[in-house]
Amino acid sequence: MWIKNRPPEPVSAATFWRVAVPSPLHRYFDYLAPIGAAAAPRPGVRVRVPFGRRHVVGLLVDLATATDVPAARLRRVRDVLDGEPVVPAELLSFARWAATYYRHPPGDALTGLLPKALREGRASASSTESGWRLTPEGRVASPDPRARRQAELLQLMAAHPAGASAADLAATGEGWRAPLKRLLERDWVESVELAPAAPIRREPEPGPPLTAAQNEAVEALRAKADSFSAFLLDGVTGSGKTEVYLAAVADVLAAGKQALVLAPEIALGPQLVERFERRLGTSVSAYHSGLADGERERVWRAARDGDAGVIIGTRSAIFLPLARPGLIVCDEEHDASYKQQDGFRYSARDLAMVRAQRLDIPVILGSATPSLESLHNVNRGRYQRLRLPERTNAAAHPPFRIVDVRSQPVQGGLSARLLAAVATHLEAGGQTLLFLNRRGFAPVLRCHDCGAIAECRRCDARMTVHRRRGRLICHHCGAERPAPNQCEHCGSPELAPLGQGTERLEDTLRERFPSAGIVRIDRDSTRRKGAMENLLDDVRSGRGHILIGTQMVAKGHDFPNLTLVGIIDADQGLYGVDFRAAERMAQLIVQVSGRAGRAEKPGEVIIQTHHPEHPLLAQIAGGDYGSFAEAALSERHAAALPPFTHLALIRAEAAKPEAPQDFLDEVRAMAEQQKQGGLEILGPAPAPMLRRQGRYRFQLLLQADSRGNLQNLLAALLPEIELLKDARRVRWSIDVDPLEMF
Ligand code: ADP
Ligand code: ZN
Ligand code: ZN
């Protein structure tokens, strides 16, 4: 064996390169330095390493003096891809912390935060972007009229004499690479390096004079601008929270630092970015999953190199490198979209707190309906609460009316009371928003003759009828099939869609108010790019009189002429399986109703329910989210639920029910051995929806009285779980601080 004859390695102080490798394993991998390596690079550079039978791109995270990999199995780094770290030390260490806290495989978490090109091992550190422009031949060329896409691209490039970017080309529609290639082959087009877009610099547009409460908040922030402190900006909808953020961000820019603003998926529209640009007089970069890879990378680099002063992004923006960080804002902090629900299950809201602390900068969480977690932190003196108790326009909060729909005549889900109110507001020239958190036509299709209900073949769930598309769709796994004309069970043609969805609501309203403009906003109606903005424009312009929406309309949108809000079915949240159901429903109702009466016109909110006596509704109808939250907090305290305890959920699923059960039984037994005081283990139990996408799902809940206890248990448990034979027979995951309990 030639290995035996090899001279022994010279063992220096830092022999082993510890690398984050994209893999599902919960550890880093140690390598030997590449042959002929001079000085070891700094952590944060990318390396290409052998991994199994492949080579993969990883991130160097450490140089170690010892390894527990046996010498014979150690392999060498093949090459080093960067001279300087692509990931700054601060981000590297923060992301490592996060991967540990959320018990996610660190290689996956760390390489996952790189832009795609870097992750795939392509060149780094070029801040220019390549683009394409017309050659002299191209300028006079006349393409074959049948090559429509080529002609479109030529036209576009004619309008960009300095060069068009990939994003520009992509904006003309799908499938631009092939025609571009054709144009390059004919020498009508050549590639160029694009100059970076010139940053906007103009006079900031003045804002309204701040109210006393806004001023107080801004002053409180100024007093602690230079080090870590945590604020909860607790302001009712329309109280001017964004104005407070703008003032704080302007201060940060004036001090030569960067501000990172997190916003929920849905609220981060072009409008928010434009508002910030106008008011700050500077470029604002948006960062979200809708961006093309190249654009995402450009923002990533601009943030890292300090060229982006303000970045507004969705949850993944919490992992942006920042050259001169000065402030983190997390708007609508209660929003569930801050928690990633699969893969790396982090909470960007919670990480905002951790990162700000590590960076020693202030962090502002803002909401009209703060999460119970954040309110608890205010109560414990960890966050300073800044209140904006009133709307800026002096409009009182619209009164709530609870309508008991029991034994009432109901037309298409609408009570006579609500229909009359819609008519009254229409006549008075006001707009109506009807909120129903259920898309499609009807949630159930039942056979009148045999009673069979159309079910998903892969989930323990019913199929939703989507009449516009003529299909049955499972909202849990996405399975679809054509809507049948006959019962799938007995063949009877007497099929009845039961219950209300947004499509059906739309039909009912069109019939009842034929001359009214009706706009439906849900995931189906906004699927096409730009559709959401078009629909919102219809509402803003006044063409739409009645707006029907799911939770997509609950936040961030200002409809000045909206005077009536109807909550079609408040009961969804009252008796949910999840202990957070009530909190979510309260937040939704308050947020949705906050859309009414924003301008000078007074508003009205009507809530339909079968449980008018429910205390939750009474509290909300009292118009006081704060008192609801305090009551809910004491219930959580009594029940030893978060935020008073800390949870981790271990989920397992497989095609047969036995494997996940056996696996979790074993995990439970191991946890029992590690268990100390202050820990409870609950389960394994079937998930509330046992079968989903053809797989049986079970879960084990770990509950601890402190984060430390929970983390210790997970740290001890994880290496043992990975070794379990049964772990390979199931798909399993750990969710630390889970938001969804199934
Ligand atoms: P929030 O973020 O709390 O929902 P915004 O900051 O969007 O509230 O403000 C709501 C509306 O009130 C906006 O139209 C905004 O321009 C206006 N506004 C905010 N602050 C003031 C103020 N001090 N005086 C007058 N109007 C204001
Ligand atoms: Zn039937
Ligand atoms: Zn399904």
Side-chain angles (χ1 to χ4, degrees):
M1 294 277 284
W2 62 273
I3 290 176
K4 283 197 180 140
N5 299 332
R6 212 160 48 164
E9 292 290 333
V11 178
S12 70
T15 314
F16 309 108
W17 293 22
R18 191 148 291 163
V19 179
V21 170
S23 103
L25 295 173
H26 285 259
R27 54 192 192 84
Y28 298 103
F29 292 85
D30 291 347
Y31 288 87
L32 295 168
I35 306 262
R42 281 189 288 153
V45 302
R46 292 171 304 153
V47 290
R48 200 183 300 275
V49 295
F51 192 69
R53 289 185 203 153
R54 301 170 301 143
H55 281 88
V56 297
V57 176
L59 262 186
L60 178 68
V61 298
D62 243 336
L63 297 166
T65 51
T67 180
D68 43 21
V69 183
R73 286 186 45 206
L74 271 172
R75 303 170 78 182
R76 272 183 198 284
V77 169
R78 189 165 94 169
D79 39 17
V80 179
L81 302 184
D82 306 297
E84 289 296 311
V86 286
V87 178
E90 177 269 327
L91 177 58
L92 190 62
S93 130
F94 167 67
R96 288 183 71 175
W97 184 93
T100 304
Y101 180 84
Y102 289 106
R103 303 291 153 190
H104 190 69
D108 186 65
L110 267 63
T111 54
L113 61 83
L114 293 173
K116 186 156 175 258
L118 296 184
R119 207 162 58 224
E120 292 176 349
R122 278 176 269 149
S124 75
S126 126
S127 59
T128 56
E129 190 198 359
S130 47
W132 298 271
R133 70 174 172 207
L134 298 181
T135 58
E137 295 83 9
R139 263 174 253 142
V140 295
S142 42
D144 187 334
R146 280 166 305 174
R148 187 178 53 83
R149 292 292 283 136
Q150 290 185 32
E152 283 170 3
L153 296 185
L154 285 176
Q155 202 179 359
L156 180 94
M157 279 183 258
H160 291 78
S165 68
D168 295 332
L169 296 183
T172 65
E174 305 243 311
W176 53 274
R177 286 186 190 277
L180 176 69
K181 192 158 163 246
R182 218 85 1 97
L183 294 172
L184 284 163
E185 284 162 6
R186 304 178 81 162
D187 285 331
W188 287 354
V189 163
E190 62 190 2
S191 47
V192 285
E193 290 286 290
L194 298 177
I200 304 175
R201 242 175 254 304
R202 56 168 179 247
E203 257 325 281
E205 212 170 85
L210 296 184
T211 62
Q214 284 171 324
N215 256 321
E216 225 172 280
V218 171
E219 287 309 321
L221 292 167
R222 277 197 184 129
K224 296 190 177 165
D226 294 322
S227 58
F228 171 72
S229 36
F231 297 91
L232 176 67
L233 182 59
D234 176 359
V236 300
T237 50
S239 60
K241 293 183 290 297
T242 312
E243 291 298 324
V244 174
Y245 305 146
L246 282 166
V249 171
D251 282 356
V252 167
L253 288 175
K257 297 183 195 164
Q258 293 170 291
L260 174 63
V261 179
L262 303 177
E265 215 89 54
I266 282 162
L268 206 178
Q271 293 214 334
L272 186 65
V273 176
E274 274 164 31
R275 180 170 173 193
F276 271 68
E277 286 193 331
R278 262 195 339 258
R279 295 292 309 287
L280 298 166
T282 185
S283 306
V284 169
S285 310
Y287 188 80
H288 53 82
S289 56
L291 296 181
D293 292 332
E295 181 59 19
R296 246 174 111 82
E297 179 172 359
R298 229 179 324 163
V299 176
W300 194 87
R301 289 179 191 287
R304 183 190 62 184
D305 301 339
D307 298 331
V310 184
I311 303 123
I312 307 187
T314 49
R315 67 174 173 252
S316 62
I318 194 59
F319 289 111
L320 278 173
L322 296 167
R324 300 172 277 106
L327 172 70
I328 303 178
V329 173
C330 179
D331 190 24
E332 310 286 5
E333 64 88 28
H334 64 279
D335 197 280
S337 76
Y338 284 122
K339 173 91 186 190
Q340 181 138 305
Q341 302 285 11
D342 51 16
F344 186 9
R345 293 171 169 79
Y346 63 91
S347 156
R349 192 246 344 256
D350 295 351
L351 285 181
M353 201 52 63
V354 174
R355 188 145 188 221
Q357 197 156 20
R358 298 170 68 105
L359 291 169
D360 200 23
I361 60 173
V363 52
I364 311 172
L365 308 183
S367 178
T369 52
S371 63
L372 297 186
E373 279 76 6
S374 295
L375 289 170
H376 180 56
N377 279 317
V378 168
N379 292 344
R380 291 196 298 168
R382 298 219 171 161
Y383 301 174
Q384 183 177 340
R385 169 154 36 188
L386 310 171
R387 281 180 202 264
L388 303 180
E390 275 156 25
R391 296 177 157 207
T392 55
N393 58 22
H397 201 283
F400 286 90
R401 297 185 213 293
I402 293 189
V403 172
D404 180 358
V405 292
R406 282 175 304 189
S407 59
Q408 293 281 326
V410 170
Q411 186 188 345
L414 298 161
S415 62
R417 180 79 187 279
L418 183 51
L419 277 169
V422 175
T424 309
H425 282 257
L426 266 179
E427 264 161 46
Q431 289 173 310
T432 292
L433 164 62
L434 296 175
F435 174 77
L436 178 61
N437 212 7
R438 216 186 278 127
R439 66 193 172 92
F441 185 81
V444 176
L445 183 64
R446 190 177 67 188
C447 169
H448 182 67
D449 284 333
C450 77
I453 285 170
E455 290 184 335
C456 177
R457 291 171 190 142
R458 307 197 295 164
C459 306
D460 294 330
R462 293 161 171 187
M463 298 297 274
T464 299
V465 184
H466 284 248
R467 189 170 269 180
R468 306 273 189 282
R469 293 166 59 196
R471 299 184 79 78
L472 298 181
I473 301 180
C474 173
H475 286 188
H476 301 281
C477 73
E480 310 192 356
R481 56 185 191 255
N485 298 320
Q486 298 178 331
C487 174
E488 292 163 338
H489 193 67
C490 75
S492 155
E494 297 291 318
L495 294 176
L498 301 182
Q500 306 304 318
T502 47
E503 285 182 2
R504 187 173 219 172
L505 196 56
E506 183 184 1
D507 292 355
T508 308
L509 288 159
R510 280 194 197 287
E511 207 169 293
R512 180 69 202 261
F513 303 104
S515 57
I518 297 176
V519 176
R520 174 169 60 91
I521 295 189
D522 56 27
R523 249 203 297 147
D524 300 310
S525 71
T526 57
R527 206 174 293 274
R528 270 178 308 110
K529 206 174 162 166
M532 175 83 160
E533 279 304 307
N534 287 341
L535 292 171
L536 288 173
D537 272 349
D538 282 348
V539 181
R540 284 188 209 108
S541 68
R543 280 191 299 274
H545 307 109
I546 302 176
L547 169 61
I548 299 164
T550 56
Q551 60 180 345
M552 292 182 91
V553 297
K555 51 205 149 194
H557 308 294
D558 236 335
F559 305 121
N561 204 29
L562 192 68
T563 52
L564 173 65
V565 169
I567 312 274
I568 305 296
D569 179 7
D571 300 343
Q572 284 175 305
L574 296 180
Y575 300 100
V577 280
D578 194 315
F579 70 86
R580 284 194 176 84
E583 177 187 0
R584 286 223 188 87
M585 196 63 194
Q587 288 165 342
L588 263 174
I589 292 179
V590 173
Q591 294 281 348
V592 172
S593 58
R595 307 293 127 209
R598 302 263 292 187
E600 280 57 44
K601 299 191 172 186
E604 180 182 12
V605 179
I606 292 181
I607 302 177
Q608 297 192 145
T609 177
H610 287 87
H611 306 280
E613 72 299 333
H614 197 287
L616 164 64
L617 286 179
Q619 275 157 347
I620 297 171
D624 184 4
Y625 177 80
S627 64
F628 156 77
E630 286 308 320
L633 269 174
S634 30
E635 276 181 29
R636 296 272 185 94
H637 185 78
L641 285 168
F644 298 93
T645 54
H646 304 275
L647 304 179
L649 201 54
I650 303 182
R651 301 186 176 92
E653 56 173 62
K656 296 249 168 65
E658 293 77 22
Q661 263 175 306
D662 293 348
F663 166 74
L664 289 176
D665 279 335
E666 283 180 88
V667 175
R668 182 183 171 112
M670 295 186 318
E672 293 283 0
Q673 288 185 350
Q674 302 283 353
K675 185 176 137 176
Q676 298 158 353
L679 272 167
E680 284 225 50
I681 306 169
L682 301 147
M689 183 185 296
L690 173 59
R691 198 171 60 105
R692 180 167 171 172
Q693 239 171 332
R695 303 174 71 84
Y696 291 85
R697 304 142 73 234
F698 289 80
Q699 56 193 36
L700 186 70
L701 185 64
L702 308 177
Q703 180 171 37
D705 57 6
S706 78
R707 285 187 203 284
N709 273 345
L710 187 61
Q711 288 289 331
N712 289 342
L713 174 63
L714 291 172
L717 214 47
L718 203 51
E720 293 191 38
I721 296 180
E722 278 197 305
L723 291 178
L724 280 178
K725 232 193 248 120
D726 276 343
R728 264 168 273 151
R729 297 171 50 215
V730 300
R731 198 185 288 161
W732 64 277
S733 64
I734 298 185
D735 192 349
V736 178
D737 304 333
L739 260 197
E740 310 273 355
M741 298 303 289
F742 47 84

